[in-house]
Amino acid sequence: MWMIVPMLTTMNCEYRFFDIQHFFMSAEKNGFTTAELWCGPMHFFLDYRCHDSVTALSKLAINHGVHIVAICPQQTNPNPYNVAVRNIAARKRTYLYFCNAIDVAHELGANIVTITAGWGYLNESAGDALLRSIEMLKRVAIYAEKQNITIALEALQSWESNLPCHTSLDLAHILDAVGSPALRVCLDTGAMDAAGETIHDYFTNLGTNIVHCHFVDSGTESHVAWGDGRRNMAADLASLVAEGYAGYLSVETVDSAHFDNPEKADAQAMRMYRHCLGGLQS
């Protein structure tokens, strides 16, 4: 019986103290053929007005046999682009920033841009901030639809946002409120774990709206390298396969323990992944 297995995909956020060429060299060395680009300015500058050369980025990736499949813009506190921001000028900048990210994805041939619901100020009602978030997501989704790009909404952990955007049911509510086919979901296993949910919970509540995955281990901290946490990632992978998920599994490792040797974390993830594939196919 033919089995579709999601593809393990590298991310550059762990490589923030190395240049972007080193990231792609490491990706090639470790056997990655796909990448999700985190828009850290040390690698690829992107703001609401301009961005670095997409042609140069694409050429570098291709030279190392890597296809960029998703864009992860900088967002949430303390980054400057907050989907739920209140200030009118900041709302304009945030909208233009995500439009710019969508344009970059379109030019690269990547069809996913990840997004979050943002965060509200502690001296206001979270409900008011959520309404602003939904309004912004509607506007960004309209632009994404025109560019044939999917924006994938991921949950945030409770310490990252005071909005109701922590669980799969929270995401389902936001999707219903926005009502756009361009807005779907990124299943982040770190946020999922923090909320006490399972992959089955996500697929029960969101089904085919799940189009992307940040596939990370969790321990005393979230988003650690595969094998450094307490999750049974082999079981997670098997669950995703059982649910019929056929998208990408981005290793969004942000553990400072690997900042001086990020390729080690990627090599570890690829080794675990290949070992799991053997078990799934046997």
Side-chain angles (χ1 to χ4, degrees), residues 262-279:
E263 55 266 40
K264 180 182 177 183
D266 270 2
Q268 184 173 302
M270 182 58 80
R271 184 170 62 251
M272 298 282 196
Y273 174 74
R274 287 171 172 166
H275 176 75
C276 290
L277 289 187

Side-chain angles (χ1 to χ4, degrees), residues 103-204:
D103 288 343
V104 168
H106 180 77
E107 192 173 345
L108 281 169
N111 64 349
I112 297 285
V113 173
T114 60
I115 198 166
T116 69
W119 52 275
Y121 302 100
L122 296 181
N123 59 339
E124 68 169 343
S125 161
D128 289 343
L130 181 62
L131 289 175
R132 293 196 304 269
S133 175
I134 289 168
E135 179 190 355
M136 180 70 74
L137 288 168
K138 285 180 179 179
R139 293 181 64 203
V140 174
I142 289 171
Y143 189 78
E145 205 170 339
K146 291 176 181 177
Q147 293 286 66
N148 199 29
I149 296 294
T150 297
I151 50 174
L153 179 70
E154 62 176 309
L156 293 173
Q157 297 174 75
S158 58
W159 61 268
E160 294 175 303
S161 176
N162 60 339
L163 302 187
C165 58
H166 311 306
T167 71
S168 56
L169 284 174
D170 290 339
L171 299 187
H173 170 75
I174 294 172
L175 259 63
D176 287 344
V178 173
S180 169
L183 181 64
R184 309 292 281 280
V185 168
C186 169
L187 190 169
D188 184 294
T189 57
M192 178 193 78
D193 183 72
E197 291 193 288
T198 66
I199 287 167
H200 182 67
D201 291 333
Y202 258 76
F203 278 88
T204 297

Side-chain angles (χ1 to χ4, degrees), residues 251-272:
V251 285
E252 192 190 23
T253 308
V254 288
D255 181 7
S256 60
H258 289 286
F259 280 169
D260 63 344
N261 192 6
E263 55 266 40
K264 180 182 177 183
D266 270 2
Q268 184 173 302
M270 182 58 80
R271 184 170 62 251
M272 298 282 196

